[in-house]
Amino acid sequence: HVSLITKNFNEAQAFFVRSSNPMLALEMRRDLMHWDQALELAQRLAPEQVPMISKEYAQQLEFRGEYSAAQDMYQRGYLPMPAALDDGASPGSAAQQAFTAQAASVTAHNATCQSGVARCMMRLGNVRAGMQMCQAVNATALYLDCATILETMKQFEEAAMLFEKAEQYERAVMIY
């Protein structure tokens, strides 16, 4: 912890990895947004966290305008759906509720990754694939984001169509 406070992050990581709680090294890198090191540590210490870290890294890359790298990270971020419960679980049981909550969390996570891929595809000029991905997600906020991206790229027909889907009819009419 002293190494962390004195900003000797590599030393702190080495100490944390050798400690009784090596996950502190991963938490430190994640908190510092040292994504490459966080991904490397996650591969070794907690492979189940790689998709979440990949999504967070992708969001930062997209914000910085590094769309190709962001798209790759979003694609690494997909989570598999949890295995279905066997038929013996009653509909209101704690196990069924936990499964439902986990499935909803995975669905939301994957939708965020799909949305990111769609936005990055559009910004990289792959409008057709971006439109398909956007329509697969079917979210008003994504329609609006992608429509705005397409409008700035002067892809007016596609932008207007997405503004319609986002229920921004006045903007769609203006563009048409």
Side-chain angles (χ1 to χ4, degrees):
H1 285 84
V2 171
S3 296
L4 176 60
I5 292 168
T6 60
K7 298 183 181 182
N8 292 322
F9 302 125
N10 291 333
E11 186 176 279
Q13 177 179 324
F15 284 133
F16 284 142
V17 168
R18 289 192 307 253
S19 75
S20 61
N21 189 0
M23 291 299 292
L24 289 173
L26 177 58
E27 289 176 26
M28 175 192 73
R29 291 299 186 180
R30 207 170 174 175
D31 291 343
L32 293 169
M33 295 186 195
H34 293 171
W35 300 114
D36 292 325
Q37 294 96 334
L39 282 170
E40 183 181 311
L41 284 167
Q43 295 275 351
R44 288 186 296 155
L45 301 173
E48 70 280 357
Q49 289 193 23
V50 169
M52 279 72 79
I53 294 170
S54 295
K55 179 190 80 168
E56 292 170 12
Y57 189 15
Q59 290 171 327
Q60 184 182 33
L61 289 167
E62 185 181 6
F63 180 75
R64 291 191 328 218
E66 299 176 31
Y67 303 120
S68 181
Q71 181 179 347
D72 292 340
M73 280 295 129
Y74 277 126
Q75 288 172 330
R76 281 183 66 185
Y78 287 114
L79 285 169
M81 285 303 284
L85 292 175
D86 55 354
D87 293 334
S90 62
S93 70
Q96 181 64 39
Q97 290 174 350
F99 171 78
T100 302
Q102 184 181 14
S105 175
V106 168
T107 300
H109 174 90
N110 286 345
T112 299
C113 290
Q114 284 180 305
S115 297
V117 170
R119 287 190 307 271
C120 290
M121 283 180 168
M122 295 217 181
R123 286 188 172 113
L124 292 169
N126 193 349
V127 175
R128 180 175 294 156
M131 290 284 289
Q132 290 173 345
M133 181 79 64
C134 186
Q135 291 174 351
V137 174
N138 193 24
T140 303
L142 179 60
Y143 287 140
L144 186 57
D145 288 346
C146 290
T148 304
I149 292 167
L150 291 171
E151 184 179 23
T152 61
M153 294 172 59
K154 300 193 184 321
Q155 299 286 327
F156 297 119
E157 185 175 333
E158 292 88 352
M161 186 176 76
L162 291 181
F163 276 127
E164 279 185 63
K165 289 185 178 274
E167 299 176 3
Q168 298 287 316
Y169 302 115
E170 290 177 15
R171 284 184 79 178
V173 168
M174 247 175 38
I175 292 173
Y176 280 132

